[in-house]
Amino acid sequence: MTAKTQSAISIINHILLCFNVITWVVAFIVIGLCLWLRFDPDVGEWVTILQIHSFYVGLYILIVSSVLICASGFLSCAATVAENQFLLTVNIAMQLLIFILGLAGAAVLMDNSTYKSSIHPVIKTVMLSLINQAPANDEATAALAIVQENMGCCGGSGVDDYINLRRAIPSQCRDTVTGNTFFYGCADEITWLLEQRSSWIMGLAVLLCAKKIVNAVLSGILIQLLQKEDRRQ
């Protein structure tokens, strides 16, 4: 093996090993943030009341992809240290699979947590249903109080929901200091909150996806260098 090739292989090995360590750290952070958001009692209460369980789907996908990232890191390290072409090829396939899974998880989470996302009309519909049932239904009344008081919002789209349904505007719809009704509806407030809490997770997930592509490319280059040396020998 020539000194130039040996130097190139050594550099790529060190880069891959460093990338794997960084990837492990980021993957554990993503898992931690996903679990925190999944088991947050306030978020869980809103998800149950407003029937937006689809919000959790993206979290589940990202948890699975992050666990696979941690597991594939051992394969990547073993393939890199052993300079085994077969293991490096398997590693490339794993990186691409995890890239697709991670990107899908980030996309699903974005589609179920951001402003004007797919859960936005669901929240509006459920809020209108609860308003229509209250005050005759105690459970509906309590659910409205929990969401509106904690979020500082009124109705699904705003106070007009109560006016259009000819319902009395509850005290939870009013600012305790000024007495004015809250301007924004709960669909807006809740999606803004979920978007804020999910943004870091989505950002880190996309970063991990980018690192998977870099890992696959470097592994491919390493295979080419090893094959080149095999032909020389």
Side-chain angles (χ1 to χ4, degrees), residues 131 153-163 173 182-187:
I131 293 171
C153 58
C154 187
S157 303
V159 69
D160 286 346
D161 288 348
Y162 282 93
I163 296 173
C173 268
F182 294 119
F183 182 77
Y184 293 106
C186 294

Side-chain angles (χ1 to χ4, degrees), residues 162-196:
Y162 282 93
I163 296 173
N164 294 334
L165 291 173
R166 298 182 179 180
R167 292 289 191 274
I169 300 173
S171 60
Q172 295 86 9
C173 268
R174 300 181 183 277
D175 188 295
T176 55
V177 177
T178 64
N180 296 328
T181 56
F182 294 119
F183 182 77
Y184 293 106
C186 294
D188 290 345
E189 291 288 355
I190 290 174
T191 50
W192 282 332
L193 178 67
L194 293 179
E195 180 178 352
Q196 182 183 23

Side-chain angles (χ1 to χ4, degrees), residues 76-111:
S76 181
C77 287
T80 301
V81 172
E83 297 180 1
N84 185 294
Q85 294 183 38
F86 173 75
L87 289 179
L88 285 169
T89 303
V90 173
N91 178 57
I92 292 174
M94 284 290 295
Q95 302 306 316
L96 296 177
L97 175 63
I98 293 171
F99 167 78
I100 295 171
L101 188 61
L103 210 58
V108 171
L109 182 59
M110 182 179 294
D111 188 50

